[in-house]
Amino acid sequence: MARRTTGKPWLHEPSGYWCTSVARRRIYLDKDYKVACRKLRELRAEHLKTQQGAGSDWLRAPFADLADEFLDDVKARRKPQTHLGYRNRLARALGIIGPRTLVQEICKLHLARLEQRMTADYSPSTVKDTIAAVQAVFAWAVRLDVLVVNPLIGYKKPQALTRSRVITDAEFDLLLQKSDTSFQNVLQALRWTGCRPGEIRTLTWDCVDLDAGMWILKDHKTITQQRRPRPRIIPLPDVIWNLCRELAKQPHVPTDHVFLNARQGPYSKDALCRKMTRLRSRAKIEAKGGEQISLYSTRHTFGTEASGRVTDIELAALLGHTDCRTTQRYVHINTDRLREIQRRASRPIPENGAAP
């Protein structure tokens, strides 16, 4: 079976040839990797010319139309949150590329322009996700034989930043003071449960068990990684349990969202991010180490503070991870903690400083 095209040759060990896949067919290039790369570039250029010369209706269609077809397919087969994410990213991309740009005109230069225009206003992670959404449209079109070749394979996307920012107690108190009541509820829930922002944003009342004092998420991020899928259980600290009891006094049905905005509607992902950006500005909280506070900083803060109080397996369970190695990304030891570790690890030093 031919592999999915990745933009680079792959080794077919039985024959010793470097290969590629075009239209689900394996193409043998050469036994020398550099020669295989050159042949792959030539092959791709030839297929692009053939594709353009074939006069496909989709090639002469606006990219916005192809993106709409892609979104319709995502909406029919994927989760609503996935569809919403793709829709927002593609809308952002189309605002820069131009909705009337033809499919046959799209090339890597458009991705470069997209990256240049977005870099000043968006994080590297957002830029990377937006570029990936455009590439996903073309990859989908190739899989469904709408196009023969994806011209955007191989574009080097910006590296997403590794988060390490934690929030101090003083900074968190300042954020609460500068925010409205509805967003205060979101911040409190994020801070004291260690949940992902998406879990708080999409939480509905049928996932809340006030008698047991927990949230039970039947559909969560890591469920597809589990051999035996099971719900994510989030035990509620007293402050959040009391908060949920107060919110539950408002009229609601099981499918209603728990955390609502000031207009009593659910938050979107972009709305939460914009809200946090404005709040950070009002609170005048500066970046540290080149990194600003974000919604995810609450999760990193939770993981860092819990580290040392519970085992790695217990912390992974609280954060909803299937692998303890993932949990390590959320634990950041500050200088005070390092000094304490050094104090506990060091042997008594003789007065003269000589090794015993």
Side-chain angles (χ1 to χ4, degrees):
M1 178 183 295
R3 300 188 186 185
R4 188 176 63 180
T5 304
T6 61
K8 295 181 180 179
W10 49 269
L11 182 62
H12 182 246
E13 294 185 359
S15 66
Y17 272 81
W18 290 94
C19 304
T20 189
S21 299
V22 176
R24 296 190 292 275
R25 291 189 302 109
R26 182 189 302 156
I27 305 295
Y28 295 89
L29 297 170
D30 200 277
K31 290 188 175 183
D32 184 274
Y33 181 72
K34 291 185 177 179
V35 175
C37 289
R38 176 176 55 79
K39 288 186 176 181
L40 177 57
R41 289 193 295 270
E42 294 172 353
L43 183 64
R44 288 181 55 78
E46 180 182 340
H47 276 281
L48 281 172
K49 289 181 180 179
T50 302
Q51 179 171 273
Q52 293 169 355
S56 168
D57 291 339
W58 276 112
L59 287 171
R60 295 191 296 268
F63 174 63
D65 291 354
L66 185 64
D68 284 341
E69 288 288 336
F70 167 77
L71 288 173
D72 287 343
D73 185 64
V74 172
K75 186 176 183 179
R77 299 188 301 108
R78 307 285 291 276
K79 297 178 182 178
Q81 300 95 316
T82 303
H83 172 259
L84 182 61
Y86 271 121
R87 190 182 71 181
N88 291 338
R89 292 171 198 139
L90 287 172
R92 192 182 299 124
L94 286 167
I96 297 174
I97 294 175
R100 307 314 299 173
T101 303
L102 301 182
V103 172
Q104 65 184 1
E105 296 173 350
I106 301 291
C107 62
K108 293 178 184 177
L109 178 60
H110 289 87
L111 298 186
R113 290 173 179 169
L114 187 64
E115 182 175 349
Q116 292 164 9
R117 291 277 299 276
M118 291 184 63
T119 297
D121 300 319
Y122 296 92
S123 69
S125 296
T126 301
V127 177
K128 179 181 179 181
D129 290 345
T130 304
I131 292 173
V134 178
Q135 290 177 315
V137 174
F138 279 87
W140 167 83
V142 171
R143 285 200 305 274
L144 270 63
D145 296 330
V146 175
L147 301 176
V148 178
V149 176
N150 180 354
L152 304 183
I153 286 179
Y155 182 82
K156 187 176 181 180
K157 296 184 283 291
Q159 184 69 34
L161 292 176
T162 302
R163 296 186 182 95
S164 60
R165 183 77 152 88
V166 296
I167 305 176
T168 65
D169 291 341
E171 288 173 335
F172 189 70
D173 289 341
L174 191 56
L175 289 173
L176 292 179
Q177 293 172 17
K178 298 295 182 179
S179 61
D180 56 58
T181 302
S182 59
F183 199 63
Q184 284 178 357
N185 294 339
V186 172
L187 290 175
Q188 293 275 16
L190 288 170
R191 176 66 182 84
W192 303 117
T193 64
C195 283
R196 302 175 179 91
E199 292 171 338
I200 298 295
R201 177 172 54 84
T202 60
L203 182 69
T204 53
W205 283 108
D206 56 358
C207 299
V208 179
D209 187 340
L210 287 176
D211 293 334
M214 59 183 60
W215 295 336
I216 304 173
L217 309 184
K218 296 180 180 179
D219 188 12
H220 53 90
K221 183 177 180 180
T222 58
I223 194 168
T224 57
Q225 302 171 14
Q226 298 172 347
R227 292 184 179 180
R228 296 181 178 178
R230 57 186 182 274
R232 168 155 151 67
I233 298 176
I234 303 165
L236 301 180
D238 290 344
V239 63
I240 304 304
W241 182 70
N242 289 326
L243 173 61
C244 286
R245 288 184 63 192
E246 289 300 314
L247 294 176
K249 293 178 181 179
Q250 300 297 324
H252 64 271
V253 297
T255 55
D256 284 345
H257 287 76
V258 176
F259 295 98
L260 304 174
N261 58 30
R263 297 180 179 179
Q264 297 304 297
Y267 283 100
S268 68
K269 180 179 179 180
D270 281 359
L272 274 182
C273 291
R274 289 194 298 268
K275 189 90 172 175
M276 188 63 179
T277 300
R278 292 194 297 268
L279 176 59
R280 190 175 58 219
S281 178
R282 288 199 301 271
K284 298 180 180 179
I285 297 177
E286 302 294 333
K288 291 182 180 179
E291 185 181 355
Q292 295 279 12
I293 282 178
S294 68
L295 290 170
Y296 246 93
S297 297
T298 56
R299 187 163 163 84
H300 286 257
T301 305
F302 180 90
T304 298
E305 291 185 350
S307 177
R309 301 179 183 177
V310 297
T311 66
D312 291 349
I313 294 176
E314 291 169 337
L315 182 55
L318 285 175
L319 291 175
H321 293 150
T322 57
D323 191 332
C324 292
R325 289 174 295 183
T326 305
T327 307
Q328 293 173 3
R329 303 175 191 170
Y330 292 85
V331 177
H332 313 286
I333 300 178
N334 58 27
T335 53
D336 292 337
R337 182 91 174 271
L338 283 173
R339 290 192 183 98
E340 172 61 18
I341 293 172
Q342 171 65 25
R343 184 190 64 77
R344 288 189 281 110
S346 299
R347 294 180 298 174
I349 300 176
E351 294 183 2
N352 60 7

